Amino acid sequence: MHHEEVFTDRNVSEHSAYYYVDIENYPVTGWDKFKQVVKRAAKGELFVGLWVVMREMIKFDIHTVQYPKEKLPIGPRYRAVHKLLRLWESGYERCIGCGLCEKICISDCIRMDTRIDENSRKEVTEYSINLGRCIFCGYCAEVCPELAIVHGGRYENGSEQRAHFVIKDDMLTPLDLLTAGEQSEYPGFGAIIPGSDASVKKTPLAY
Amino acid sequence: MNEITITIDGRTVQTQEGEYILNAARANGIFIPAICYLTRCSPTLACRICLVEADGKQVYACNAKAKQGMEITTTTPNIESERRAIMEVYDVNHPLECGVCDQSGECELQNYTLEMGVDQQTYAIKDTHKPAQDWGLIHYDPALCIMCERCITVCKDMIGDAALSTVARGSDPIEAAFKESMPKDAYAMWNKLNKSLISPNAGDTLDCTNCGECTSVCPVGALVSSDYQYTSNAWEHKQIPATCAHCSAGCQLSYDIKHTSVENPESKIYRVKNEWNYVSLCGAGRYGYDFENKNVTKDAVAFDAAIAAFKQADTIAFTSTITNEEALILQRLKEKFGYRLINEEARAFKSFLNAYSAVSGTSLYGGDLGEVHASDFVVSIGSALKTDNPNARFAMNNALSMNKGAGLYFHPINDPVIAGMSKSVTQFNHAPMMEEAALYLILDLFADKAAMPSSVSEYLAGFHSTKTVTVEETVDEKVTETVVKKVLNEETGVEEEVSEEVTKTVKKKVSKEVEVDENALFALLNAPAGFSDTLTKYLAKKERFSLMVGPDLYTHPNASNCARLVALIEKYTQFSVTMIPNLSNTLGVAMICDLDSERGSYTIGYNTAGNFTLSALGGGDLDMPALNQQEGTLTNIDKRVNPTNAALSFSGYVLNDIANALGLSSKYTVDYTAQLPKQAGFKATCFDALPNHYTNSGEEVRGYRLDIQTVTVDTDENVTPFDADKAINENVVYLANPVLQFSPFTAASHQLQENGGLYVSKTFMESNSWNEGDRVNVKTARGELSLNVIADGKIEGDIAYLPTFDTAINSEALFDGYRFACVSIQKV
């Protein structure tokens, strides 16, 4: 029986989508319980189930996702394992090492090492996130002023230890994927709000 | 100074007459924005943001003095618009690199921009190209500089190097329209800002004593430590309040720690910070922070060997770079097992103090560096001030520049840093062994001769003689002349001649025979020509006198006579006396330990040589924690017992473990803090109760001061005459350290690593035609060393010096206690 659910009316009545399920009373005495067991065993309910499986197997028309061979697509704003992006034109790392993600992280799982490089720029030599502590809140992506750290779609976090880390090499877009155009912008936390330009006042320039 | 009452924003505030409004407000917790003002230095008037209204008139709080009954308003609509415009101007062309800037949020530009609510920019000017500059330990990025000139101010008024000044920026003039449209003070401030940049006086790089105080006071990230650049953000650090371990100034500082790297979670010290409004650090304190004993584990075998060695030993030799608590442990061990405690420099200081007490009747000297800061006449005798105790030098410089003071500096080595402090400072480069003459001179010039023991007065009178000199003087002479004038007689209408007497003043040169007093002490101390006139000028309007005496006197062959003279000076002149202890905790060790003079047959050396060595430097038989790995207290020059905390962990054994194994019982080393000897002036305060901070009014709330005890005095106040024949006039070598070094601990830190040698002035090197790095043999009566020649640009004259910071050079072996020795130097 198909019910069209009218969720606005939650009173159980003839006209509502809700109805009482007809459930037999539970057996109380030992004898009644024994009768129920015998009745169910003789009915062959087990074979009903086995037959359904058998029938579907023979049909070769399976609807389950073949995980891990197949994965369902997830929402673009889903917050899974982080990625570090590169600048589109130059291929430089977007991360400037400001440390805001490290500061804002409420589970204190981000750490980075920085130094001054040969061009007197701040270089991020190492970056690590302890996924065993990360709660995937998205604050790091939101606070990042360079849209450098974002969330990706990789959600498998199984590991042998409670603490397990991703480091810079794991997260940074490889240069070949960048040139192949396979780096994607993240529309979730921290992305530019459409129409932001309108709310910014221009600074005068004397040129 | 009179206590006065003023009103700030309706609040009644007590302050001193003549105090700046800003300081009065700060001391009472009232906020007035200010960028360019530095406490203890002169107002710069660069930022103009401290504008307030006093009795209806706009004044700058940093240079307007409070007057009785003054009514002050800190904000008015006009002042607010000025402040907002000033902050907008500061933000013009300021690089938007806050994300990577080393100031990382500890930025006064950022704070005040937000405080004044700057949310848009009105002003603009074409930017100039300002490349970053590398000044060695210091990095300057002029693009970030807001020209508050705090670096220049602190370098001149506090440090005394005056190594920085402003140079032209070479920018376009400000658009004329702004002059009309913008608030007056903001325009004036912009006009000044737009003209200048900071630059070292020496050209491309700094020529100074590298204290790094300029980086500390910089409100933005323009001046930073080169080593710290881009290594960490300020907010990542945990600040460990501590006391500097390197010299007797015992400055308050904080070690900023953080994990070493992503891979290594061990704490590491990234930098040192100080409360720059109230305490200034030297370069050794600021850059010599990572002297910890690294990678130490509990080595049970070495510990058992140490216990066995202690059971065998009859002597413990140690240096004064230990805490009071460790000194007490050593003293307790002595009491229990009869060890002899050997620490020559502390023993010399202790006997100096005892000799002083026998005349003065007090256990300790009366002065401190705070008193020197407040003085207007400062004398230093027997100390290479800039390297013995940099803070004493800062205090002297601060007194000279802020109090219109004058100073005398008695030391055999001519010091260009001292000469550069002020025009009103005279150096007496006397011969070694003439320190007593210098003390006699102070008595002669300043003592109340009638009150002083007559023998001393008579002795001093012996140096005076009257000499007749011919002086040419210009004298005003009154000449009376009779002038004949023609006057019209009104009655007769006839012109008559009338004679009249007129007095005129004529300048006339007269040579005169004058009897002048000649002071033979001047010549004995190599006083500059015409010193007596200079002194008269110096002494005009002087009220507070300070004398600092240094380590040259403690090891002087006639040290006890020197000490008695110092006591006489304190007693019979207006001078307050401060003694500079040699090392970090020399005073503490001298007060706590009974020191012996003779070693026994088996010595335990703690941070010094021995049959069995305990070492915080590493490489000994048992590793000990360095002073940045220990908690405890240090006694400094101000007679203050200051707490210091462990910035880094130490996983080896400490002295307390050894003491416990030998039968003393104390869970922690700091349990001894409350047991420090009361009869020496210590208080029974436990370690955790000791404060370590400064208040807004600049009051030092750190640890506690030693109580000065009354001591029974000698019946006589006799002092012995000095012997001018003992003076060492030629071929002198001195025992001292170069700038930035104090001990092997400073040299162990990565920014200050260097090798020692024979340090000579540039002129001395040229006159001997030596070059930097030449090998020389240095020979005194007690030994010989082969060393490299190193030029020291911060000394002048013909006296070379040998360092103590380099463990590879056993300089002390060449000296017979006294810091000067006769030497022959041969080029190899």
Side-chain angles (χ1 to χ4, degrees):
Chain A
M1 191 170 68
H2 177 75
H3 291 277
E4 194 153 312
E5 292 187 354
V6 188
F7 290 111
T8 45
D9 181 10
R10 301 195 170 194
N11 293 318
V12 178
S13 71
E14 274 180 38
H15 312 289
S16 81
Y18 295 89
Y19 62 95
Y20 287 109
V21 180
D22 187 24
I23 300 172
E24 273 180 55
N25 289 336
Y26 290 112
V28 180
T29 61
W31 177 242
D32 285 347
K33 283 178 185 170
F34 177 73
K35 279 199 293 186
Q36 192 186 42
V37 170
V38 171
K39 196 173 140 195
R40 284 185 178 175
K43 213 176 177 185
E45 275 178 337
L46 174 68
F47 298 100
V48 176
L50 282 174
W51 165 243
V52 172
V53 174
M54 183 80 156
R55 190 186 65 203
E56 293 303 315
M57 196 180 80
I58 297 163
K59 269 190 186 169
F60 293 104
D61 180 23
I62 299 165
H63 292 281
T64 43
V65 175
Q66 296 296 293
Y67 183 85
K69 278 189 204 156
E70 279 178 16
K71 284 174 194 171
L72 281 176
I74 55 164
R77 296 176 59 167
Y78 187 75
R79 302 193 300 267
V81 177
H82 312 70
K83 288 202 285 193
L84 285 169
L85 302 187
R86 288 182 186 271
L87 292 168
W88 286 106
E89 296 85 357
S90 61
Y92 287 145
E93 295 160 23
R94 288 189 187 177
C95 178
I96 55 168
C98 71
L100 288 180
C101 47
E102 195 179 10
K103 174 70 183 166
I104 204 165
C105 180
I106 53 170
S107 47
D108 197 14
C109 64
I110 301 180
R111 271 188 183 181
M112 60 167 75
D113 291 345
T114 56
R115 64 166 200 127
I116 184 162
D117 74 3
E118 293 68 32
N119 305 316
S120 301
R121 294 176 68 91
K122 194 171 189 175
E123 187 196 351
V124 181
T125 50
E126 194 48 275
Y127 191 101
S128 80
I129 300 178
N130 181 352
L131 294 182
R133 291 185 67 103
C134 181
I135 60 161
F136 301 94
C137 63
Y139 281 5
C140 50
E142 186 174 5
V143 79
C144 181
E146 301 290 318
L147 305 177
I149 186 164
V150 297
H151 282 289
R154 183 162 80 81
Y155 45 78
E156 292 99 337
N157 291 331
S159 75
E160 288 151 359
Q161 290 172 337
R162 185 166 291 182
H164 86 277
F165 295 85
V166 278
I167 56 171
K168 197 175 146 194
D169 287 347
D170 305 329
M171 291 182 278
L172 191 64
T173 313
L175 273 174
D176 52 339
L177 288 187
L178 181 82
T179 39
E182 283 182 36
Q183 175 176 282
S184 54
E185 291 297 334
Y186 174 67
F189 273 174
I192 292 171
I193 301 161
S196 299
D197 282 358
S199 61
V200 176
K201 205 153 206 175
K202 213 175 159 189
T203 298
L205 278 177
Y207 293 95
Chain B
M1 290 268 182
N2 300 321
E3 184 105 326
I4 55 165
T5 310
I6 58 173
T7 319
I8 307 177
D9 287 343
R11 252 184 73 185
T12 312
V13 160
Q14 300 287 326
T15 186
Q16 302 292 319
E17 193 175 348
E19 180 66 288
Y20 294 128
I21 295 171
L22 181 62
N23 284 338
R26 282 181 175 178
N28 289 283
I30 299 170
F31 174 67
I32 297 176
I35 298 179
C36 69
Y37 181 71
L38 278 172
T39 313
R40 309 188 297 171
C41 294
S42 50
T44 318
L45 287 183
C47 75
R48 295 173 183 245
I49 203 169
C50 67
L51 209 55
V52 293
E53 205 172 85
D55 293 338
K57 225 174 89 186
Q58 276 191 15
V59 294
Y60 305 109
C62 72
N63 87 331
K65 289 178 176 170
K67 292 193 192 90
Q68 172 64 33
M70 211 177 223
E71 295 261 351
I72 294 150
T73 320
T74 57
T75 48
T76 65
N78 183 49
I79 290 174
E80 268 172 21
S81 75
E82 287 278 11
R83 284 181 185 157
R84 151 118 199 188
I86 288 170
M87 288 324 295
E88 271 188 48
V89 166
Y90 275 135
D91 289 331
V92 171
N93 292 340
H94 192 88
L96 289 172
E97 56 181 61
C98 302
V100 296
C101 177
D102 278 312
Q103 207 67 8
S104 50
E106 293 180 329
C107 175
E108 288 174 43
L109 178 66
Q110 226 174 48
N111 291 351
Y112 284 123
T113 298
L114 294 172
E115 175 76 27
M116 304 309 158
V118 177
D119 53 3
Q120 67 179 69
Q121 182 60 269
T122 322
Y123 313 111
I125 194 165
K126 203 172 147 186
D127 207 355
T128 52
H129 179 54
K130 303 181 283 279
Q133 296 164 29
D134 179 24
W135 297 343
L137 289 167
I138 294 163
H139 179 90
Y140 177 53
D141 189 346
L144 295 169
C145 179
I146 60 167
M147 286 306 296
C148 65
E149 297 179 30
R150 279 209 310 228
C151 48
I152 298 180
T153 310
V154 80
C155 195
K156 190 174 165 298
D157 290 346
M158 181 54 62
I159 307 303
D161 277 338
L164 295 167
S165 54
T166 55
V167 290
R169 178 185 287 243
S171 62
D172 291 353
I174 301 164
E175 231 172 89
F178 286 135
K179 190 172 182 181
E180 299 305 315
S181 65
M182 63 192 291
K184 197 169 79 17
D185 277 287
Y187 178 78
M189 170 254 147
W190 192 7
N191 222 346
K192 187 160 177 278
L193 163 85
N194 193 43
K195 283 185 180 131
S196 48
L197 277 180
I198 307 293
S199 169
N201 288 335
D204 287 341
T205 191
L206 274 173
D207 178 25
C208 66
T209 49
N210 279 312
C211 67
E213 195 62 19
C214 49
T215 61
S216 183
V217 300
C218 186
V220 292
L223 282 163
V224 294
S225 152
S226 303
D227 184 73
Y228 182 72
Q229 244 196 327
Y230 292 167
T231 53
S232 182
N233 281 313
W235 63 69
E236 290 293 320
H237 296 310
K238 187 174 174 195
Q239 300 196 332
I240 309 293
T243 298
C244 181
H246 293 313
C247 88
S248 55
C251 300
Q252 191 218 32
L253 51 75
S254 78
Y255 292 113
D256 278 16
I257 61 164
K258 195 182 95 166
H259 55 84
T260 309
S261 68
V262 162
E263 288 91 21
N264 186 357
E266 287 284 309
S267 285
K268 174 184 148 183
I269 302 174
Y270 278 73
R271 62 167 175 184
V272 158
K273 287 194 77 182
N274 60 317
E275 288 265 22
W276 39 264
N277 266 313
Y278 312 121
V279 60
S280 301
L281 296 185
C282 71
R286 190 177 316 280
Y287 302 115
Y289 49 77
D290 51 341
F291 53 89
E292 69 276 7
N293 200 358
K294 296 174 187 77
N295 305 324
V296 175
T297 49
K298 277 198 155 65
D299 182 351
V301 178
F303 185 72
D304 292 341
I307 301 302
F310 266 90
K311 291 203 168 129
Q312 191 189 344
D314 54 3
T315 307
I316 304 172
F318 62 104
T319 65
S320 298
T321 39
I322 62 171
T323 60
N324 291 324
E325 289 72 16
E326 287 182 294
L328 184 60
I329 291 175
L330 295 178
Q331 174 64 19
R332 291 274 166 88
L333 288 174
K334 175 188 173 126
E335 284 158 15
K336 197 165 169 142
F337 301 106
Y339 293 121
R340 302 179 197 189
L341 297 182
I342 303 291
N343 182 339
E344 276 309 305
E345 51 88 22
R347 195 174 67 86
F349 186 59
K350 190 173 190 173
S351 39
F352 189 85
L353 269 177
N354 288 344
Y356 158 88
S357 302
V359 174
S360 71
T362 52
S363 61
L364 282 166
Y365 47 92
D368 57 37
L369 291 186
E371 182 58 37
V372 178
H373 273 285
S375 304
D376 49 19
F377 193 85
V378 185
V379 179
S380 162
I381 299 177
S383 170
L385 210 53
K386 75 166 186 289
T387 49
D388 282 350
N389 189 317
N391 231 278
R393 167 200 153 202
F394 301 161
M396 180 170 178
N397 176 68
N398 193 228
L400 297 189
S401 55
M402 295 309 292
N403 309 336
K404 296 193 185 77
L408 307 178
Y409 178 78
F410 293 87
H411 198 266
I413 297 184
N414 186 298
D415 193 334
V417 173
I418 302 292
M421 279 182 181
S422 157
K423 279 176 191 155
S424 304
V425 64
T426 296
Q427 291 199 55
F428 286 74
N429 300 125
H430 60 79
M433 290 297 288
M434 295 296 283
E435 287 84 358
E436 287 156 288
L439 294 167
Y440 272 118
L441 179 66
I442 300 302
L443 276 178
D444 184 36
L445 294 175
F446 300 97
D448 179 359
K449 302 250 170 45
M452 219 168 31
S454 56
S455 60
V456 184
S457 306
E458 280 159 24
Y459 177 62
L460 288 173
F463 291 103
H464 288 268
S465 56
T466 42
K467 198 167 93 176
T468 318
V469 283
T470 318
V471 209
E472 234 178 40
E473 261 187 352
T474 324
V475 187
D476 289 345
E477 202 179 44
K478 280 187 180 165
V479 187
T480 314
E481 284 175 0
T482 314
V483 189
V484 183
K485 265 188 176 176
K486 281 185 180 169
V487 180
L488 186 78
N489 191 326
E490 281 173 17
E491 284 174 22
T492 55
V494 184
E495 259 188 11
E496 285 173 12
E497 287 195 345
V498 183
S499 61
E500 203 178 299
E501 286 208 338
V502 180
T503 319
K504 276 205 275 186
T505 324
V506 181
K507 292 214 185 280
K508 209 174 166 187
K509 280 200 171 169
V510 191
S511 47
K512 218 165 67 169
E513 302 245 303
V514 195
E515 286 209 333
V516 287
D517 173 60
E518 196 179 55
N519 193 340
L521 286 168
F522 287 173
L524 284 167
L525 289 162
N526 304 338
F531 175 69
S532 63
D533 294 338
T534 321
L535 186 68
T536 323
K537 259 185 250 162
Y538 283 179
L539 289 175
K541 292 191 207 155
K542 295 294 184 287
E543 281 165 355
R544 281 174 94 163
F545 297 77
S546 280
L547 169 70
M548 294 187 280
V549 296
D552 297 4
L553 302 185
Y554 317 149
T555 51
H556 195 281
N558 303 327
S560 73
N561 194 43
C562 292
R564 294 174 73 89
L565 282 166
V566 170
L568 287 183
I569 291 174
E570 194 170 44
K571 208 164 179 177
Y572 295 110
T573 70
Q574 294 181 55
F575 278 91
S576 85
V577 173
T578 308
M579 295 180 191
I580 301 172
N582 314 31
L583 293 172
S584 324
N585 200 20
T586 301
L587 179 58
V589 170
M591 300 313 277
I592 295 163
C593 298
D594 295 329
L595 299 162
D596 298 277
S597 52
E598 294 290 322
R599 277 173 195 250
S601 55
Y602 191 96
T603 307
I604 304 273
Y606 186 9
N607 288 335
T608 183
N611 300 83
F612 187 93
T613 53
L614 312 173
S615 177
L617 287 157
D621 296 314
L622 181 69
D623 282 304
M624 286 280 129
L627 282 179
N628 57 3
Q629 297 169 301
Q630 288 194 58
E631 47 182 15
T633 57
L634 298 164
T635 315
N636 77 349
I637 184 172
D638 294 340
K639 302 160 285 183
R640 212 176 252 287
V641 180
N642 293 318
T644 189
N645 291 298
L648 302 171
S649 61
F650 181 77
S651 2
Y653 292 99
V654 300
L655 191 63
N656 190 38
D657 296 329
I658 298 175
N660 285 344
L662 289 171
L664 297 185
S665 172
S666 181
K667 193 173 179 198
Y668 301 112
T669 308
V670 287
D671 292 342
Y672 286 102
T673 311
Q675 302 170 30
L676 291 169
K678 264 189 157 171
Q679 69 278 11
F682 290 93
K683 292 182 179 154
T685 317
C686 66
F687 179 77
D688 292 326
L690 295 175
N692 194 7
H693 67 272
Y694 287 85
T695 63
N696 267 358
S697 58
E699 192 200 341
E700 189 177 6
V701 191
R702 299 176 63 205
Y704 58 84
R705 272 174 189 274
L706 289 179
D707 287 328
I708 296 183
Q709 318 280 317
T710 319
V711 178
T712 31
V713 291
D714 280 5
T715 42
D716 67 78
E717 293 182 340
N718 290 345
V719 281
T720 51
F722 65 90
D723 185 356
D725 296 336
K726 288 259 173 72
I728 314 171
N729 287 313
E730 275 175 333
N731 303 327
V732 182
V733 70
Y734 185 50
L735 188 67
N737 283 306
V739 171
L740 294 179
Q741 300 291 354
F742 284 107
S743 65
F745 290 104
T746 47
S749 56
H750 81 280
Q751 290 188 78
L752 304 181
Q753 266 175 357
E754 61 178 312
N755 292 321
L758 180 75
Y759 293 84
V760 294
S761 71
K762 282 181 177 150
T763 46
F764 188 51
M765 199 161 79
E766 274 163 29
S767 65
N768 283 299
S769 55
W770 292 336
N771 291 310
E772 182 119 24
D774 281 355
R775 202 80 184 159
V776 288
N777 268 337
V778 183
K779 197 174 171 187
T780 70
R782 291 172 62 93
E784 193 174 346
L785 280 174
S786 173
L787 297 165
N788 289 335
V789 173
I790 299 172
D792 183 346
K794 295 289 169 202
I795 58 165
E796 305 263 344
D798 292 346
I799 300 181
Y801 69 88
L802 288 168
T804 61
F805 74 88
D806 191 341
T807 41
I809 303 171
N810 187 8
S811 304
E812 277 105 333
L814 266 60
F815 294 84
D816 191 13
Y818 188 44
R819 283 176 85 184
F820 293 92
C822 230
V823 72
S824 79
I825 306 171
Q826 294 297 327
K827 194 175 160 181
V828 182

